[in-house]
Amino acid sequence: MKKIALSLLSTLMLQPAFAVEPLPTTKPSKDVIDAIKGWTDSSDLKISLPVTKFVLKNGLTVLLLEDHTVPMISYHTWYRVGSRDEAPGVTGAAHMLEHMMFKGAKKYSGKDFDRTLHENGITNNAFTSNDYTGFYENIPSDKLELIMDIEVDRMSSLLISPDDLKSEKEVVAEERRWRVDNNPMGVLREQMMSTIFKKSNYRWPVIGHMKDIQDYDAEKLRYFYNSYYGPNNAVLVIVGDFKTSNVKSLVEKYYGKLEKREIPQKEYPTEPAQKVQQNAITRRDVQNSSFVVAFQGPKQGEADMYAMDLAANILGNGSSSRLYRRLVYQQQQATSAYSYNHTMRDAGIFAVGVNMKPGLETSSALESVYNEIYKMRSQKVTDKELEKAKTQVMKDYVDSLRTMDGKARALAVNEIVTGSYDSLFSDLEKYQAVTADDILKVMAKYTQQNQRSIITLAPKAKKE
C-alpha cells in the first residue's frame, strides 16, 4: 500500500477499538531487507514473499506466510465490509459491530473471551475503515489452534445481547466525542469527506453520526452480521512461526465446517467528477483556524496513485517539504502544514492541510497553498526532490513490512482493496518508474481550481 496512506491510515480513517500498537524498534527481518536490491536500479528493485494462497469450498480466502524470526504468529481476520456498505440512518454499523465482536460468542462468551486471550498471552485489537473491518491477534505460536477455535466461534455464532449493546453504545458515543466532536482535526476530516463526496457512500463518517449510534438495536446489527460476516466474505492471513502444510490442515479442520452466506450484491454510488469549487466552513470553540484544500484523486492501485503519492510527499511531508518551509519557516503564518494522498477502493483524496497561528486569518496562507499547487502542475519538480520523495516513500513502504503484523496487514489490505495480495510486490518498481513529467501530468489532471474543495475550521466570533 502506498506510503502516504500507510502513514495516515490509523489516524485518518480507521476507528480502532483500542490504540494500535506502534511498530517495534527492532531491526527489520533479514528476508525483507534482502528483498531490496539496488534502490536506484528498477530492474533489481523487488519485494518477494513466499505466500501460499488457497480458497476453501465455503469461499474463505486464506493467505499463509512462514516467518520463523521468533516463535510468534500474527493472525488476521479481515471482512470485506466497511462504512461503504451502510446507508443513511445506519451509519457506523460496521464499526459498532466491530465492538460487539469483543463481547463474546456461543462458546467463548462474555468475559471468557478476554480472559482466555489474556491467560494465553494473546494481544488483540481491531479496526474499521470505509472498505473493510479487520481483527487481529498476536499469539505464541503454540496457541494457533486456540485462536482458530475462538475466531470460528465468533464468525459463526456471535452473541449480540441488548445489555451488551446498551453499554457499548455509550462506549462508541464517547469515542465519537473524543475522535470527532471534541477534536478539531476530527471535525475538519469529517467535513472534508462530506464536502468532497456527495453521492458516494464515503460521504458519511466511519464511526457514524451520533443519532445513528444512539439508535442502534440488536436487530440492525444482527442483520449486518448475518449479511457480511460469512467465510466467503473474509480473508484470513496468518504470518509467523508455523509449517504451511500443518496450518492448511488446521484451517480446513476449523473453518471448513462453516457454511457460505448470501452476501448482498450492492451497487455502490459512483461519485461524479467535481466541476466547481466547493467551500465549507465550520465554527467551533478553537483558538486558531485550520483549513484543508482537497481534491478527488485516484483510487487504490490506479496508475496515477504512485505519482500522486510522490507529489504529496514533495509538497507536504515533513519539515523540509515545500509547504512547511514556506508557511511555517519563511512566512511564519502556520504551526504546521502537510499533504497526503489517501486512496480507497472506489476513490481517493489528495489534500493539503494548514494549521494557522492563533489570531491570523487564512486568506494569505490559502494564496500560498494555491501558488504551491500551481507550481507543482506547471513546473517540473527537481531531480533531487523526486529522488528524495522516492527514497522516503519506499523506505516507509519497506519499514511497514518489518514485522509479522505489518506483513499480514499489507497482504490483507491488498487482497481486499486491489483484488490480489501480489499487487504488493510490484509497488516499489512503480514508484521508482515515476518521472517528473508524470507528477506534472497528474497534478494538472487532478488539482485544477474548479476541482478543489476548501474546508475551514474557524474560531467562533467573539460576543460584543
Side-chain angles (χ1 to χ4, degrees):
M1 193 177 185
K2 74 277 178 254
K3 177 261 175 188
I4 298 297
L6 276 176
S7 66
L8 291 166
L9 206 55
S10 63
T11 55
L12 263 179
M13 301 297 167
L14 303 186
Q15 305 290 347
F18 311 100
V20 176
E21 71 269 28
L23 290 173
T25 55
T26 53
K27 291 182 178 180
S29 61
K30 190 171 184 297
D31 61 321
V32 173
I33 294 301
D34 283 350
I36 301 180
K37 303 170 182 176
W39 284 94
T40 57
D41 186 347
S42 59
S43 63
D44 290 332
L45 195 63
K46 190 171 183 60
I47 284 180
S48 180
L49 300 173
V51 177
T52 297
K53 177 180 178 178
F54 58 98
V55 180
L56 296 187
K57 291 180 179 178
N58 59 20
L60 178 70
T61 299
V62 184
L63 305 176
L64 304 179
L65 173 61
E66 290 189 36
D67 182 339
H68 300 284
T69 308
V70 293
M72 296 289 292
I73 288 173
S74 192
Y75 194 96
H76 284 238
T77 310
W78 289 37
Y79 294 90
R80 296 182 179 90
V81 58
S83 63
R84 76 198 273 267
D85 299 290
E86 299 160 356
V90 288
T91 64
H95 176 254
M96 187 72 231
L97 185 56
E98 173 215 309
H99 275 247
M100 296 305 294
M101 286 284 281
F102 291 87
K103 307 307 287 186
K106 184 176 181 181
K107 183 173 181 180
Y108 298 91
S109 60
K111 294 180 181 178
D112 287 344
F113 179 82
D114 283 331
R115 181 185 55 76
T116 304
L117 295 180
H118 294 160
E119 286 179 352
N120 287 278
I122 297 170
T123 58
N124 68 316
N125 209 328
F127 44 82
T128 305
S129 80
N130 304 87
D131 297 317
Y132 49 79
T133 305
F135 301 86
Y136 68 91
E137 296 89 15
N138 292 313
I139 65 175
S141 52
D142 62 348
K143 303 298 180 183
L144 183 56
E145 283 199 67
L146 172 64
I147 205 64
M148 283 188 178
D149 200 35
I150 291 173
E151 286 294 7
V152 166
D153 186 37
R154 64 175 178 172
M155 182 183 284
S156 58
S157 56
L158 182 69
L159 299 176
I160 304 179
S161 77
D163 288 342
D164 284 340
L165 178 57
K166 182 179 179 181
S167 64
E168 209 61 23
K169 282 163 62 174
E170 292 303 315
V171 172
V172 174
E174 187 57 30
E175 183 180 339
R176 184 188 155 84
R177 295 184 190 101
W178 174 56
R179 290 184 179 279
V180 182
D181 299 334
N182 298 324
N183 183 330
M185 292 301 100
V187 171
L188 203 59
R189 286 195 296 272
E190 188 165 298
Q191 185 70 56
M192 180 186 73
M193 294 299 284
S194 62
T195 302
I196 292 178
F197 298 113
K198 302 296 186 186
K199 299 290 185 183
S200 166
N201 290 358
Y202 293 146
R203 68 186 185 276
W204 55 74
V206 171
I207 198 169
H209 296 300
M210 185 62 88
K211 184 177 186 310
D212 295 344
I213 293 171
Q214 293 168 338
D215 288 346
Y216 293 139
D217 59 37
E219 186 179 356
K220 289 178 184 177
L221 296 181
R222 177 64 64 187
Y223 168 81
F224 225 73
Y225 175 74
N226 290 338
S227 298
Y228 295 108
Y229 273 60
N232 45 321
N233 204 40
V235 174
L236 174 62
V237 184
I238 309 175
V239 177
D241 184 32
F242 58 78
K243 288 187 177 180
T244 297
S245 56
N246 292 344
V247 173
K248 288 180 72 173
S249 298
L250 290 175
V251 170
E252 186 69 57
K253 172 185 173 183
Y254 283 91
Y255 287 90
K257 60 189 177 186
L258 301 178
E259 294 185 358
K260 281 186 176 181
R261 295 187 190 178
E262 290 295 326
I263 308 299
Q265 299 299 309
K266 298 183 64 174
E267 292 290 334
Y268 298 95
T270 301
E271 188 67 29
Q274 185 174 325
K275 296 182 179 178
V276 296
Q277 178 176 311
Q278 300 288 336
N279 296 328
I281 184 167
T282 300
R283 294 192 179 276
R284 296 292 177 91
D285 286 323
V286 294
Q287 290 191 334
N288 63 296
S289 295
S290 304
F291 67 85
V292 173
V293 179
F295 305 85
Q296 295 177 356
K299 64 182 181 181
Q300 174 75 29
E302 278 191 329
D304 288 345
M305 180 191 84
Y306 304 94
M308 292 293 277
D309 280 351
L310 296 179
N313 187 287
I314 293 168
L315 199 54
N317 182 28
S319 58
S320 62
S321 64
R322 290 186 178 193
L323 282 166
Y324 199 97
R325 281 188 283 124
R326 180 164 178 172
L327 289 165
V328 179
Y329 288 148
Q330 297 169 6
Q331 298 178 346
Q332 298 191 17
Q333 296 189 80
T335 56
S336 64
Y338 57 91
S339 178
Y340 59 86
N341 183 48
H342 178 72
T343 54
M344 297 172 285
R345 189 169 178 170
D346 297 332
I349 299 168
F350 182 86
V352 169
V354 176
N355 295 314
M356 302 294 297
K357 284 188 173 180
L360 296 184
E361 299 294 330
T362 61
S363 55
S364 177
L366 265 171
E367 288 299 324
S368 296
V369 168
Y370 298 157
N371 182 252
E372 290 297 338
I373 292 174
Y374 172 77
K375 286 196 293 186
M376 290 287 289
R377 64 171 188 257
S378 59
Q379 302 171 16
K380 288 184 183 179
V381 299
T382 66
D383 291 341
K384 185 178 180 181
E385 285 179 312
L386 182 57
E387 191 62 28
K388 176 186 170 187
K390 287 180 179 179
T391 300
Q392 288 179 327
V393 168
M394 292 195 287
K395 178 183 181 301
D396 286 354
Y397 194 101
V398 175
D399 282 348
S400 73
L401 299 175
R402 285 182 171 188
T403 64
M404 295 177 183
D405 179 73
K407 292 171 188 172
R409 287 170 188 263
L411 292 170
V413 75
N414 277 277
E415 180 70 20
I416 287 180
V417 178
T418 71
S420 175
Y421 75 90
D422 58 10
S423 58
L424 166 70
F425 304 144
S426 60
D427 280 350
L428 287 184
E429 295 169 82
K430 292 177 180 177
Y431 282 121
Q432 186 62 23
V434 172
T435 66
D437 284 326
D438 293 330
I439 292 180
L440 207 60
K441 181 181 173 183
V442 297
M443 290 299 288
K445 180 178 179 180
Y446 292 100
T447 66
Q448 298 296 326
Q449 186 273 333
N450 64 315
Q451 297 171 305
R452 72 190 180 202
S453 298
I454 303 166
I455 302 96
T456 304
L457 176 67
K460 287 183 177 178
K462 293 183 179 178
K463 295 181 179 178
E464 297 296 332

